[in-house]
Amino acid sequence: MNTYEIRRDFPILDQQVFGHPLIYLDNAATMQMPSPVLQAIVRHYHADNANVHRGIHALSERSTRALEDARERVCSFINARTSDEIVFTSGTTASLNMLADMLVGNLRPGSAVVSTLMEHHANFVPWQQACERTGHPFLVVPLDERGDLDLYAYQDLLENHDVSLVAFTHVSNVLGTVNPITDIVELAHEHRALAVIDAAQSIRHEAIDVQAIDCDFLAFSGHKMGAPTGIGVLYGKYDLLENLQPVRFGGEMVDDVCVDRTTFAPPPLRFEAGTPNYVGAIGLAAAIDYLEYLRLDDVREREAQLVHYAEERLQRIPGLHILGNPKMRMGCVSFTVDGVHPFDLATMADKLGVALRSGNQCAQPLLHEANGVQNVTRLSPAFYNTVGEIDMAVTCIERIVKLLKR
Ligand code: PMP
């Protein structure tokens, strides 16, 4: 993988911030968009734009074709059985909220929903709130001391409760822990529970095969993989989608509307009320093309090298503590430094051109468990970052820590 050539596709990286070359290490929050994706969007607006599904004119037909081609593209990317299993949403958060709203009320009476302590709030709060509304118990799988899921505790929960749904992340957005999703899904199914996967952090790093994983639902966002914001996916097995009632209503999702009743279109349109973000979907298809052109295996290998290099260099800084030591880490490394507030660290790093993220990373249940840590600093490289950038960023962090501790 030739990083210098790849960086030409990301002109945003070639800029100065406060007089220093930008070092963008906040890719777990959003990945930058490569030029071919932007070009696909511009081309659509310049040549083919019209609202989809509703017109018989040429532009509307082209626009509709492009949206449905994008659905096919996503279908083959995650190896769904049919593109009817691909629901376009505005992102992971929207996918999981909609799913929780549609699903939890229909679970076996009295059965429990299980999530984990390492979830992003997007895969925690919607289930917690839906359980609160419907009276289903909400149970949480703890982590072991390394920051891996405690799979014994998970098994115990499944054996000792009537669990009808488990929702867990593929990769933690704080610890970078990679969960053994196929095993987790298999165990869920052995206990008659549905399995929902949050793939927001893994979608860029892993070739996801929903049939091999056998998950029932999976959600991800386009902007974590080079597509624009405002587009995401909810994958669901068709027979499950077919039995869900929509919770958002409006144009295009209906079959027949009468004064006293409405019938709905089949999936996926049933879940896409209103004008869909078809240009976002076209951008998502272009982002998939781009990642496949780079080869996903190479992207994963490159990002793994960068994360491990960062981890190795960071842990040499006195007083710096990396959160967790999972068996497999992907995408990011989070840390605290004795006597240094993460906001001060990230603010000063910014003044040196280094973009890091500090805060609770929308994962408060995890941080509450981590000895009362409230905020961390997170460094998350992408394939377009260089080892030299990691070196410079770590040197900056070292300097800032010395300064702040003085
Ligand atoms: N889950 C995880 C693991 C994430 O990292 C994120 C984004 N930080 C989300 C869900 C939410 O994604 P979005 O904000 O795109 O809906």
Side-chain angles (χ1 to χ4, degrees):
M1 184 175 267
N2 184 335
T3 312
Y4 293 95
E5 229 168 71
I6 287 170
R7 285 175 77 95
R8 278 199 233 125
D9 290 332
F10 297 88
I12 194 169
L13 299 175
D14 183 20
Q15 63 172 290
Q16 305 252 316
V17 172
F18 299 113
H20 299 276
L22 168 67
I23 299 179
Y24 183 77
L25 293 170
D26 191 19
N27 294 283
T30 204
M31 191 195 122
Q32 299 299 348
M33 184 189 288
S35 301
V37 174
L38 194 55
Q39 282 154 11
I41 292 169
V42 170
R43 201 163 45 240
H44 190 80
Y45 275 125
H46 280 172
D48 300 322
N49 185 46
N51 205 336
V52 291
H53 296 309
R54 291 171 197 180
I56 317 267
H57 59 81
L59 293 191
S60 178
E61 277 179 10
R62 272 189 246 153
S63 225
T64 305
R65 185 72 261 145
L67 170 66
E68 294 311 321
D69 285 350
R71 207 187 296 277
E72 290 287 346
R73 195 71 190 85
V74 173
C75 170
S76 66
F77 182 61
I78 62 169
N79 196 29
R81 288 160 204 83
T82 144
S83 61
D84 291 340
E85 295 184 322
I86 308 300
V87 179
F88 284 124
T89 67
S90 63
T92 311
T93 305
S95 297
L96 293 168
N97 271 281
M98 185 167 75
L99 189 59
D101 287 350
M102 294 191 296
L103 206 49
V104 175
N106 295 315
L107 297 175
R108 287 190 295 279
S111 62
V113 171
V114 168
S115 189
T116 88
L117 257 194
M118 70 165 75
E119 299 309 310
H120 186 283
H121 296 161
N123 198 31
F124 193 92
V125 185
W127 302 113
Q128 179 201 54
Q129 294 300 302
C131 284
E132 217 170 282
R133 279 197 306 275
T134 53
H136 287 275
F138 177 63
L139 308 173
V140 177
V141 183
L143 311 187
D144 64 19
E145 61 291 340
R146 296 182 68 133
D148 282 310
L149 276 185
D150 183 340
L151 294 177
Y152 294 109
Y154 172 55
Q155 191 148 7
D156 268 2
L157 282 182
L158 288 171
E159 280 167 9
N160 295 314
H161 299 265
D162 175 22
V163 175
S164 53
L165 186 143
V166 305
F168 59 92
T169 192
H170 188 181
V171 172
S172 156
N173 65 311
V174 180
L175 305 169
T177 307
V178 182
N179 287 318
I181 48 173
T182 311
D183 297 346
I184 296 174
V185 170
E186 198 179 329
L187 262 173
H189 286 167
E190 276 170 20
H191 290 83
R192 295 193 307 147
L194 294 168
V196 180
I197 298 182
D198 174 353
Q201 284 299 330
S202 55
I203 194 72
R204 182 177 82 235
H205 311 279
E206 281 274 338
I208 303 251
D209 180 336
V210 289
Q211 291 192 62
I213 299 164
D214 198 28
C215 54
D216 299 293
F217 299 96
L218 179 136
F220 64 91
S221 300
H223 70 93
K224 308 267 190 200
M225 55 189 295
T229 50
I231 186 71
V233 167
L234 172 64
Y235 155 82
K237 285 181 180 164
Y238 191 80
D239 56 331
L240 296 172
L241 289 178
E242 215 179 7
N243 285 309
L244 287 177
Q245 289 306 304
V247 287
R248 308 269 174 276
F249 306 99
E252 289 317 307
M253 48 81 66
V254 292
D255 174 29
D256 190 27
V257 181
C258 307
V259 171
D260 56 351
R261 78 186 160 84
T262 295
T263 54
F264 302 112
L269 293 190
R270 178 187 300 182
F271 307 109
E272 296 179 359
T275 300
N277 182 0
Y278 56 92
V279 181
I282 291 161
L284 176 57
I288 292 172
D289 286 346
Y290 186 78
L291 288 175
E292 290 199 335
Y293 151 77
L294 292 183
R295 292 165 46 90
L296 265 181
D297 284 350
D298 292 352
V299 167
R300 181 184 47 197
E301 202 177 303
R302 174 95 195 123
E303 295 188 344
Q305 275 169 2
L306 292 169
V307 168
H308 290 128
Y309 184 68
E311 193 180 347
E312 217 180 82
R313 288 247 13 220
L314 283 169
Q315 63 201 5
R316 289 193 225 141
I317 299 178
L320 186 147
H321 307 283
I322 291 177
L323 263 77
N325 179 25
K327 291 192 194 98
M328 213 195 299
R329 194 196 294 278
M330 192 188 270
C332 69
V333 51
S334 297
F335 55 91
T336 56
V337 186
D338 294 340
V340 174
H341 197 288
F343 288 123
D344 295 337
L345 178 55
T347 305
M348 289 178 73
D350 180 46
K351 300 289 177 289
L352 298 170
V354 181
L356 302 170
R357 184 146 296 245
S358 68
N360 63 37
Q361 320 298 3
C362 301
Q364 283 181 324
L366 168 71
L367 297 186
H368 288 326
E369 282 297 299
N371 298 327
V373 175
Q374 297 198 336
N375 294 295
V376 296
T377 308
R378 182 180 69 190
L379 182 158
S380 55
F383 53 86
Y384 44 60
N385 289 119
T386 65
V387 170
E389 285 186 312
I390 304 280
D391 275 330
M392 287 208 282
V394 176
T395 305
C396 287
I397 294 169
E398 246 166 350
R399 277 174 52 198
I400 294 165
V401 167
K402 272 192 198 140
L403 201 77
L404 287 174
K405 279 190 163 180
R406 228 193 259 151

